[in-house]
mmCIF file of all heavy atoms in Angstrom:
data_model
loop_
_atom_site.group_PDB
_atom_site.id
_atom_site.type_symbol
_atom_site.label_atom_id
_atom_site.label_comp_id
_atom_site.label_asym_id
_atom_site.label_seq_id
_atom_site.Cartn_x
_atom_site.Cartn_y
_atom_site.Cartn_z
ATOM 1 N N SER W 61 -0.397 -4.898 -7.399
ATOM 2 C CA SER W 61 0.921 -5.400 -7.751
ATOM 3 C C SER W 61 1.014 -6.912 -7.553
ATOM 4 O O SER W 61 1.767 -7.590 -8.272
ATOM 5 C CB SER W 61 2.004 -4.686 -6.945
ATOM 6 O OG SER W 61 1.880 -4.965 -5.568
ATOM 7 N N ASP W 62 0.248 -7.464 -6.596
ATOM 8 C CA ASP W 62 0.203 -8.923 -6.459
ATOM 9 C C ASP W 62 -0.369 -9.558 -7.723
ATOM 10 O O ASP W 62 0.140 -10.575 -8.214
ATOM 11 C CB ASP W 62 -0.677 -9.316 -5.260
ATOM 12 C CG ASP W 62 -0.132 -8.821 -3.936
ATOM 13 O OD1 ASP W 62 1.080 -8.939 -3.717
ATOM 14 O OD2 ASP W 62 -0.929 -8.320 -3.118
ATOM 15 N N VAL W 63 -1.418 -8.954 -8.251
ATOM 16 C CA VAL W 63 -2.036 -9.454 -9.480
ATOM 17 C C VAL W 63 -1.065 -9.347 -10.647
ATOM 18 O O VAL W 63 -0.910 -10.285 -11.449
ATOM 19 C CB VAL W 63 -3.337 -8.694 -9.779
ATOM 20 C CG1 VAL W 63 -3.920 -9.126 -11.121
ATOM 21 C CG2 VAL W 63 -4.358 -8.917 -8.661
ATOM 22 N N HIS W 64 -0.373 -8.215 -10.747
ATOM 23 C CA HIS W 64 0.595 -8.033 -11.833
ATOM 24 C C HIS W 64 1.678 -9.101 -11.776
ATOM 25 O O HIS W 64 2.122 -9.611 -12.812
ATOM 26 C CB HIS W 64 1.241 -6.647 -11.744
ATOM 27 C CG HIS W 64 0.294 -5.527 -11.984
ATOM 28 N ND1 HIS W 64 0.503 -4.255 -11.493
ATOM 29 C CD2 HIS W 64 -0.893 -5.484 -12.645
ATOM 30 C CE1 HIS W 64 -0.506 -3.473 -11.857
ATOM 31 N NE2 HIS W 64 -1.353 -4.199 -12.555
ATOM 32 N N THR W 65 2.092 -9.456 -10.561
ATOM 33 C CA THR W 65 3.139 -10.468 -10.412
ATOM 34 C C THR W 65 2.665 -11.830 -10.894
ATOM 35 O O THR W 65 3.330 -12.489 -11.700
ATOM 36 C CB THR W 65 3.596 -10.546 -8.943
ATOM 37 O OG1 THR W 65 4.178 -9.290 -8.561
ATOM 38 C CG2 THR W 65 4.632 -11.652 -8.768
ATOM 39 N N VAL W 66 1.514 -12.296 -10.402
ATOM 40 C CA VAL W 66 1.067 -13.647 -10.751
ATOM 41 C C VAL W 66 0.694 -13.746 -12.226
ATOM 42 O O VAL W 66 0.753 -14.838 -12.808
ATOM 43 C CB VAL W 66 -0.110 -14.100 -9.863
ATOM 44 C CG1 VAL W 66 0.293 -14.126 -8.407
ATOM 45 C CG2 VAL W 66 -1.341 -13.243 -10.053
ATOM 46 N N GLU W 67 0.345 -12.637 -12.849
ATOM 47 C CA GLU W 67 0.007 -12.657 -14.264
ATOM 48 C C GLU W 67 1.229 -12.486 -15.155
ATOM 49 O O GLU W 67 1.110 -12.464 -16.380
ATOM 50 C CB GLU W 67 -1.039 -11.586 -14.565
ATOM 51 C CG GLU W 67 -2.400 -11.890 -13.921
ATOM 52 C CD GLU W 67 -3.457 -10.850 -14.241
ATOM 53 O OE1 GLU W 67 -3.084 -9.748 -14.720
ATOM 54 O OE2 GLU W 67 -4.650 -11.132 -14.003
ATOM 55 N N GLY W 68 2.406 -12.344 -14.544
ATOM 56 C CA GLY W 68 3.637 -12.262 -15.310
ATOM 57 C C GLY W 68 3.979 -10.893 -15.843
ATOM 58 O O GLY W 68 4.880 -10.753 -16.676
ATOM 59 N N HIS W 69 3.291 -9.843 -15.354
ATOM 60 C CA HIS W 69 3.550 -8.485 -15.831
ATOM 61 C C HIS W 69 4.582 -7.757 -14.982
ATOM 62 O O HIS W 69 4.937 -6.607 -15.280
ATOM 63 C CB HIS W 69 2.252 -7.675 -15.842
ATOM 64 C CG HIS W 69 1.147 -8.303 -16.638
ATOM 65 N ND1 HIS W 69 1.341 -8.770 -17.926
ATOM 66 C CD2 HIS W 69 -0.140 -8.563 -16.335
ATOM 67 C CE1 HIS W 69 0.210 -9.288 -18.378
ATOM 68 N NE2 HIS W 69 -0.702 -9.182 -17.427
ATOM 69 N N ARG W 70 5.032 -8.403 -13.924
ATOM 70 C CA ARG W 70 5.969 -7.777 -12.998
ATOM 71 C C ARG W 70 6.991 -8.832 -12.596
ATOM 72 O O ARG W 70 6.632 -9.915 -12.149
ATOM 73 C CB ARG W 70 5.207 -7.257 -11.772
ATOM 74 C CG ARG W 70 6.047 -6.586 -10.711
ATOM 75 C CD ARG W 70 5.177 -6.302 -9.498
ATOM 76 N NE ARG W 70 5.936 -5.672 -8.433
ATOM 77 C CZ ARG W 70 5.804 -4.411 -8.072
ATOM 78 N NH1 ARG W 70 4.916 -3.640 -8.677
ATOM 79 N NH2 ARG W 70 6.515 -3.910 -7.084
ATOM 80 N N ALA W 71 8.263 -8.538 -12.762
ATOM 81 C CA ALA W 71 9.302 -9.497 -12.411
ATOM 82 C C ALA W 71 9.361 -9.690 -10.905
ATOM 83 O O ALA W 71 9.230 -8.729 -10.144
ATOM 84 C CB ALA W 71 10.656 -9.013 -12.931
ATOM 85 N N ALA W 72 9.556 -10.934 -10.471
ATOM 86 C CA ALA W 72 9.631 -11.234 -9.051
ATOM 87 C C ALA W 72 10.498 -12.469 -8.852
ATOM 88 O O ALA W 72 10.474 -13.394 -9.668
ATOM 89 C CB ALA W 72 8.236 -11.463 -8.472
ATOM 90 N N PRO W 73 11.254 -12.522 -7.747
ATOM 91 C CA PRO W 73 12.198 -13.622 -7.510
ATOM 92 C C PRO W 73 11.535 -14.819 -6.840
ATOM 93 O O PRO W 73 11.615 -15.000 -5.633
ATOM 94 C CB PRO W 73 13.241 -12.982 -6.600
ATOM 95 C CG PRO W 73 12.459 -11.987 -5.800
ATOM 96 C CD PRO W 73 11.386 -11.459 -6.725
ATOM 97 N N ALA W 74 10.867 -15.656 -7.606
ATOM 98 C CA ALA W 74 10.216 -16.845 -7.056
ATOM 99 C C ALA W 74 11.268 -17.826 -6.529
ATOM 100 O O ALA W 74 12.392 -17.861 -7.052
ATOM 101 C CB ALA W 74 9.365 -17.502 -8.126
ATOM 102 N N PRO W 75 10.908 -18.632 -5.516
ATOM 103 C CA PRO W 75 9.604 -18.656 -4.841
ATOM 104 C C PRO W 75 9.492 -17.542 -3.799
ATOM 105 O O PRO W 75 10.490 -17.187 -3.170
ATOM 106 C CB PRO W 75 9.599 -20.031 -4.170
ATOM 107 C CG PRO W 75 11.040 -20.301 -3.880
ATOM 108 C CD PRO W 75 11.802 -19.700 -5.029
ATOM 109 N N LEU W 76 8.282 -17.036 -3.644
ATOM 110 C CA LEU W 76 8.070 -15.980 -2.660
ATOM 111 C C LEU W 76 6.658 -16.065 -2.111
ATOM 112 O O LEU W 76 5.783 -16.712 -2.685
ATOM 113 C CB LEU W 76 8.352 -14.606 -3.253
ATOM 114 C CG LEU W 76 7.533 -14.073 -4.435
ATOM 115 C CD1 LEU W 76 6.203 -13.489 -3.981
ATOM 116 C CD2 LEU W 76 8.311 -13.011 -5.175
ATOM 117 N N VAL W 77 6.456 -15.388 -0.993
ATOM 118 C CA VAL W 77 5.136 -15.239 -0.386
ATOM 119 C C VAL W 77 4.657 -13.834 -0.697
ATOM 120 O O VAL W 77 5.245 -12.848 -0.237
ATOM 121 C CB VAL W 77 5.184 -15.473 1.139
ATOM 122 C CG1 VAL W 77 3.783 -15.334 1.731
ATOM 123 C CG2 VAL W 77 5.757 -16.838 1.455
ATOM 124 N N LEU W 78 3.647 -13.724 -1.522
ATOM 125 C CA LEU W 78 3.115 -12.422 -1.899
ATOM 126 C C LEU W 78 2.317 -11.813 -0.735
ATOM 127 O O LEU W 78 2.096 -12.442 0.281
ATOM 128 C CB LEU W 78 2.220 -12.567 -3.131
ATOM 129 C CG LEU W 78 2.936 -12.926 -4.434
ATOM 130 C CD1 LEU W 78 1.938 -13.453 -5.467
ATOM 131 C CD2 LEU W 78 3.688 -11.712 -4.978
ATOM 132 N N GLY W 79 1.871 -10.580 -0.945
ATOM 133 C CA GLY W 79 1.019 -9.908 0.022
ATOM 134 C C GLY W 79 1.776 -8.897 0.863
ATOM 135 O O GLY W 79 2.746 -9.235 1.538
ATOM 136 N N HIS W 80 1.331 -7.629 0.814
ATOM 137 C CA HIS W 80 1.981 -6.571 1.597
ATOM 138 C C HIS W 80 0.965 -5.581 2.172
ATOM 139 O O HIS W 80 1.324 -4.454 2.496
ATOM 140 C CB HIS W 80 3.029 -5.845 0.731
ATOM 141 C CG HIS W 80 2.471 -5.322 -0.563
ATOM 142 N ND1 HIS W 80 2.504 -6.062 -1.722
ATOM 143 C CD2 HIS W 80 1.855 -4.165 -0.860
ATOM 144 C CE1 HIS W 80 1.940 -5.361 -2.694
ATOM 145 N NE2 HIS W 80 1.524 -4.198 -2.190
ATOM 146 N N GLU W 81 -0.268 -6.013 2.279
ATOM 147 C CA GLU W 81 -1.294 -5.248 2.989
ATOM 148 C C GLU W 81 -1.858 -6.175 4.064
ATOM 149 O O GLU W 81 -2.400 -7.240 3.729
ATOM 150 C CB GLU W 81 -2.414 -4.796 2.039
ATOM 151 C CG GLU W 81 -1.934 -3.842 0.968
ATOM 152 C CD GLU W 81 -3.064 -3.375 0.046
ATOM 153 O OE1 GLU W 81 -4.153 -3.992 0.053
ATOM 154 O OE2 GLU W 81 -2.843 -2.389 -0.682
ATOM 155 N N TYR W 82 -1.775 -5.759 5.334
ATOM 156 C CA TYR W 82 -2.053 -6.727 6.388
ATOM 157 C C TYR W 82 -2.272 -6.029 7.727
ATOM 158 O O TYR W 82 -1.862 -4.895 7.954
ATOM 159 C CB TYR W 82 -0.890 -7.698 6.538
ATOM 160 C CG TYR W 82 0.449 -7.139 6.067
ATOM 161 C CD1 TYR W 82 0.922 -5.881 6.488
ATOM 162 C CD2 TYR W 82 1.246 -7.835 5.162
ATOM 163 C CE1 TYR W 82 2.114 -5.361 6.033
ATOM 164 C CE2 TYR W 82 2.462 -7.315 4.709
ATOM 165 C CZ TYR W 82 2.882 -6.077 5.152
ATOM 166 O OH TYR W 82 4.061 -5.538 4.705
ATOM 167 N N VAL W 83 -2.895 -6.774 8.613
ATOM 168 C CA VAL W 83 -3.015 -6.393 10.019
ATOM 169 C C VAL W 83 -2.867 -7.674 10.820
ATOM 170 O O VAL W 83 -3.266 -8.753 10.364
ATOM 171 C CB VAL W 83 -4.353 -5.684 10.305
ATOM 172 C CG1 VAL W 83 -5.549 -6.560 9.948
ATOM 173 C CG2 VAL W 83 -4.447 -5.246 11.766
ATOM 174 N N GLY W 84 -2.265 -7.590 11.993
ATOM 175 C CA GLY W 84 -2.065 -8.787 12.790
ATOM 176 C C GLY W 84 -1.768 -8.469 14.232
ATOM 177 O O GLY W 84 -1.856 -7.319 14.674
ATOM 178 N N ARG W 85 -1.393 -9.523 14.965
ATOM 179 C CA ARG W 85 -1.129 -9.375 16.398
ATOM 180 C C ARG W 85 0.249 -9.943 16.720
ATOM 181 O O ARG W 85 0.598 -11.042 16.275
ATOM 182 C CB ARG W 85 -2.212 -10.083 17.212
ATOM 183 C CG ARG W 85 -2.238 -9.668 18.683
ATOM 184 C CD ARG W 85 -3.458 -10.221 19.399
ATOM 185 N NE ARG W 85 -4.707 -9.773 18.812
ATOM 186 C CZ ARG W 85 -5.308 -8.620 19.096
ATOM 187 N NH1 ARG W 85 -4.747 -7.767 19.946
ATOM 188 N NH2 ARG W 85 -6.465 -8.303 18.534
ATOM 189 N N VAL W 86 1.002 -9.212 17.497
ATOM 190 C CA VAL W 86 2.351 -9.608 17.868
ATOM 191 C C VAL W 86 2.281 -10.819 18.798
ATOM 192 O O VAL W 86 1.583 -10.801 19.813
ATOM 193 C CB VAL W 86 3.085 -8.449 18.559
ATOM 194 C CG1 VAL W 86 4.461 -8.898 19.065
ATOM 195 C CG2 VAL W 86 3.234 -7.270 17.603
ATOM 196 N N ILE W 87 3.048 -11.879 18.448
ATOM 197 C CA ILE W 87 3.107 -13.047 19.325
ATOM 198 C C ILE W 87 4.505 -13.263 19.896
ATOM 199 O O ILE W 87 4.655 -13.963 20.898
ATOM 200 C CB ILE W 87 2.603 -14.320 18.625
ATOM 201 C CG1 ILE W 87 3.460 -14.669 17.403
ATOM 202 C CG2 ILE W 87 1.149 -14.180 18.232
ATOM 203 C CD1 ILE W 87 3.126 -16.033 16.828
ATOM 204 N N GLU W 88 5.532 -12.687 19.288
ATOM 205 C CA GLU W 88 6.886 -12.703 19.829
ATOM 206 C C GLU W 88 7.589 -11.443 19.343
ATOM 207 O O GLU W 88 7.352 -10.981 18.225
ATOM 208 C CB GLU W 88 7.673 -13.933 19.369
ATOM 209 C CG GLU W 88 7.265 -15.240 20.024
ATOM 210 C CD GLU W 88 7.733 -15.361 21.462
ATOM 211 O OE1 GLU W 88 8.562 -14.524 21.906
ATOM 212 O OE2 GLU W 88 7.270 -16.288 22.150
ATOM 213 N N VAL W 89 8.472 -10.895 20.182
ATOM 214 C CA VAL W 89 9.192 -9.692 19.776
ATOM 215 C C VAL W 89 10.536 -9.664 20.493
ATOM 216 O O VAL W 89 10.638 -10.013 21.677
ATOM 217 C CB VAL W 89 8.368 -8.415 20.072
ATOM 218 C CG1 VAL W 89 8.025 -8.287 21.541
ATOM 219 C CG2 VAL W 89 9.075 -7.166 19.559
ATOM 220 N N ALA W 90 11.570 -9.294 19.768
ATOM 221 C CA ALA W 90 12.892 -9.140 20.361
ATOM 222 C C ALA W 90 12.913 -7.924 21.276
ATOM 223 O O ALA W 90 12.066 -7.029 21.190
ATOM 224 C CB ALA W 90 13.944 -9.004 19.257
ATOM 225 N N ASP W 91 13.900 -7.875 22.136
ATOM 226 C CA ASP W 91 14.009 -6.756 23.072
ATOM 227 C C ASP W 91 14.259 -5.451 22.322
ATOM 228 O O ASP W 91 15.011 -5.402 21.346
ATOM 229 C CB ASP W 91 15.165 -7.000 24.045
ATOM 230 C CG ASP W 91 14.922 -8.195 24.955
ATOM 231 O OD1 ASP W 91 13.745 -8.559 25.142
ATOM 232 O OD2 ASP W 91 15.920 -8.758 25.463
ATOM 233 N N GLY W 92 13.601 -4.409 22.772
ATOM 234 C CA GLY W 92 13.909 -3.069 22.294
ATOM 235 C C GLY W 92 13.243 -2.639 21.015
ATOM 236 O O GLY W 92 13.509 -1.532 20.530
ATOM 237 N N VAL W 93 12.360 -3.446 20.436
ATOM 238 C CA VAL W 93 11.668 -3.032 19.211
ATOM 239 C C VAL W 93 10.646 -1.960 19.557
ATOM 240 O O VAL W 93 9.837 -2.131 20.478
ATOM 241 C CB VAL W 93 10.981 -4.230 18.532
ATOM 242 C CG1 VAL W 93 10.186 -3.771 17.314
ATOM 243 C CG2 VAL W 93 12.018 -5.274 18.125
#
Side-chain angles (χ1 to χ4, degrees):
S61 64
D62 297 316
V63 175
H64 294 156
T65 297
V66 299
E67 292 181 345
H69 305 311
R70 180 188 179 109
L76 62 81
V77 181
L78 291 163
H80 54 268
E81 296 181 345
Y82 25 50
V83 59
R85 196 171 300 276
V86 175
I87 61 171
E88 287 286 349
V89 59
D91 295 337
V93 176

